[in-house]
């Protein structure tokens, strides 16, 4: 969750470790509208391709174009390298999003 009231979608450190070296990121387009849990992109690594799902319903307001040329940033800085940002359809849905500490607690790290 960003201070501006938008949600930034990232992968976790746990996910990037499981994926291995990320070699490609298929980014959503600004203006796309997704429902919660709808596929919103793909991350490809040397091991596998994994879908990226929108955690909440909303409109894509920004994408991290840097990842097109440097997908490995998802490995080196998973919590800093956001993939896309959402303007939530329902602002209360932002409360469902976890930050890095919340995610680690949820998976028992």
């Amino acid at each position: 969750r960003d201070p501006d009231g938008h949600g930034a979608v990232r992968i976790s450190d746990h996910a990037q470790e499981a994926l291995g070296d990320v070699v490609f990121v298929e980014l959503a387009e600004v203006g796309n509208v997704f429902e919660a849990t709808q596929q919103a992109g793909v991350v490809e690594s040397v091991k596998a391709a994994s879908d990226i799902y929108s955690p909440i319903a909303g409109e894509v307001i920004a994408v991290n174009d840097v990842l097109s040329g440097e997908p490995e940033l998802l490995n080196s800085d998973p919590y800093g390298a956001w993939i896309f940002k959402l303007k939530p359809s329902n602002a209360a849905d932002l409360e469902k999003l976890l930050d890095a500490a919340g995610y680690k607690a949820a998976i028992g790290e």
Side-chain angles (χ1 to χ4, degrees):
R1 195 170 49 199
D2 284 346
D4 58 8
H6 300 128
V9 177
R10 299 172 169 87
I11 66 169
S12 67
D13 187 47
H14 177 79
Q16 71 81 23
E17 282 184 18
L19 281 169
D21 293 337
V22 175
V23 296
F24 176 76
V25 181
E26 177 186 304
L27 298 168
E29 294 183 20
V30 172
N32 285 153
V33 176
F34 295 110
E35 295 298 320
T37 71
Q38 185 177 358
Q39 182 185 352
V42 176
V43 173
E44 293 183 18
S45 73
V46 294
K47 292 182 181 179
S50 296
D51 293 334
I52 301 167
Y53 297 97
S54 183
I56 59 173
E59 178 183 356
V60 175
I61 58 164
V63 295
N64 189 351
D65 290 323
V66 173
L67 294 176
S68 294
E70 297 180 70
E72 66 274 7
L73 289 175
L74 292 180
N75 293 115
S76 63
D77 189 16
Y79 295 121
W82 55 276
I83 300 168
F84 62 93
K85 293 187 179 185
L86 286 170
K87 178 181 178 184
S89 297
N90 178 353
D93 286 346
L94 286 174
E95 298 305 316
K96 298 175 186 177
L97 300 179
L98 298 175
D99 60 9
Y103 179 78
K104 288 178 183 178
I107 65 168
E109 280 190 8

